[in-house]
Amino acid sequence: MDTAFDSDKRKILSALSHGSIFFSQLLFSAGLPAALWIISDDPVVKESSKEALNFHLNIWIYSFIIGILCWLLIGWLFVVPLLIFQWVMPVFAIVSSFRNTESAFKYPFILRFL
């Protein structure tokens, strides 16, 4: 990747993108990665922000589907795995942002809309 970009700034902005899911699961928590995706010139920060947005979208979709399935009483089996996935994967992404500044973390098991 291009070495003209500040490595420390890249780490922090990428970690903020991934960590925004911890603010809340509501729409405004996706605002931070969306803003970073639009504003940043750094290609790794842009890719990290896009991945974080995709993760948000997937969590919202999974939550909606599981919520509907809870009405049928089968969804309760998926609530805890979704919560674990929602908390663990961003931690992996944040750690990866600090360890590898040359590429963005790719979330497994998500659909990429952006």
Side-chain angles (χ1 to χ4, degrees), residues 75-90:
W76 295 105
L77 299 170
F78 302 105
V79 171
V80 172
L82 177 65
L83 288 174
I84 291 170
F85 181 72
Q86 179 179 346
W87 282 86
V88 170
M89 293 314 298

Side-chain angles (χ1 to χ4, degrees), residues 36-84:
L36 289 172
W37 184 36
I38 293 168
I39 294 172
S40 181
D41 293 333
D42 189 330
V44 174
V45 173
K46 281 183 143 344
E47 189 63 29
S48 292
S49 300
K50 192 165 41 167
E51 276 294 305
L53 279 172
N54 279 316
F55 185 72
H56 276 82
L57 290 171
N58 278 265
I59 292 297
W60 292 336
I61 291 168
Y62 298 154
S63 297
F64 179 75
I65 292 169
I66 290 172
I68 290 173
L69 291 175
C70 282
W71 283 84
L72 302 172
L73 300 178
I74 193 170
W76 295 105
L77 299 170
F78 302 105
V79 171
V80 172
L82 177 65
L83 288 174
I84 291 170

Side-chain angles (χ1 to χ4, degrees), residues 90-112:
V91 170
F92 286 150
I94 292 167
V95 169
S96 175
S97 296
F98 283 106
R99 285 189 178 168
N100 182 9
T101 60
E102 297 302 315
S103 64
F105 178 81
K106 299 287 186 188
Y107 287 97
F109 312 116
I110 68 166
L111 301 171
R112 288 176 175 77

